[in-house]
Amino acid sequence: MSLPPASGRFENGIHRFAARAYFEDTDLTGVVYHANYLRYMERARSDMLSLCGIDQLALLGAGNGYFAVADLSIAYKRPARLGDDLTIVSWVTRVRAAATVMTQQVRRGDEVLTEASVTACWLDAQGRPQRQPRDWATRFEDLRASAEES
């Protein structure tokens, strides 16, 4: 019997994705290594796109393009530790023609451990920015408006 992969969910335009800090995520002191927060956030963004109906693998395979992080600013506030149950909270803050900007937080309960602003740009098969499909921009804008209202 196979189990379905972990999946997050949307609540009022805000995406929540669960993670746990495993031994492989930590340094010798049991603190999550700084680069692993980026991995948690990437998994949450990928899940967010999937829940929006965007199949990145199919688009890439068809040569239609892909999302890539074009800009990232991150602040580490408190450390996550081995065994911590974490929630990656993500919401859209701005939608541009070729990019979507979002805020992502890694939380332990209600405590914000790490916060990032991430700009994901839509690139064509040659790696040049291009307009993201209109229906995606509309979905992202709807998420942004819903999150702003909450």
Side-chain angles (χ1 to χ4, degrees), residues 74 103 107 130 134-135:
I74 191 165
T103 297
R107 297 180 183 177
Q130 68 177 11
R134 185 175 307 236
D135 61 323

Side-chain angles (χ1 to χ4, degrees), residues 17-21 32 37 40 80-81 84-88 106-109 113:
F17 185 83
R20 179 169 291 135
V32 170
Y37 292 93
Y40 298 148
R81 299 186 183 283
D84 282 351
D85 289 329
L86 306 170
T87 304
I88 297 77
V106 177
R107 297 180 183 177
R108 179 178 46 228
L113 305 178

Side-chain angles (χ1 to χ4, degrees), residues 1-138:
M1 172 177 100
S2 66
L3 297 173
S7 181
R9 67 176 185 267
F10 280 103
E11 296 172 353
N12 302 320
I14 298 171
H15 181 259
R16 298 178 190 283
F17 185 83
R20 179 169 291 135
Y22 292 109
F23 185 77
E24 69 181 357
D25 298 326
T26 64
D27 61 18
L28 293 174
T29 67
V31 171
V32 170
Y33 181 68
H34 72 279
N36 287 326
Y37 292 93
L38 300 175
R39 285 183 169 83
Y40 298 148
M41 291 177 188
E42 176 65 33
R43 289 179 195 137
R45 283 193 310 277
S46 293
D47 185 68
M48 186 176 177
L49 290 175
S50 179
L51 290 175
C52 285
I54 299 170
D55 185 344
Q56 295 182 92
L57 185 59
L59 293 163
L60 184 61
N64 292 332
Y66 55 94
F67 275 111
V69 172
D71 188 58
L72 180 127
S73 173
I74 191 165
Y76 299 96
K77 300 173 183 286
R78 295 223 175 290
R81 299 186 183 283
L82 178 62
D84 282 351
D85 289 329
L86 306 170
T87 304
I88 297 77
V89 181
S90 311
W91 64 94
V92 175
T93 55
R94 186 171 178 210
V95 180
R96 300 189 325 229
T100 299
V101 182
M102 65 186 70
T103 297
Q104 291 191 279
Q105 296 176 335
V106 177
R107 297 180 183 177
R108 179 178 46 228
D110 291 332
E111 183 180 23
V112 177
L113 305 178
T114 304
E115 183 169 270
S117 175
V118 182
T119 301
C121 187
W122 180 247
L123 304 175
D124 67 16
Q126 290 71 45
R128 291 184 303 262
Q130 68 177 11
R131 286 187 173 275
Q132 55 187 323
R134 185 175 307 236
D135 61 323
W136 298 359
T138 299

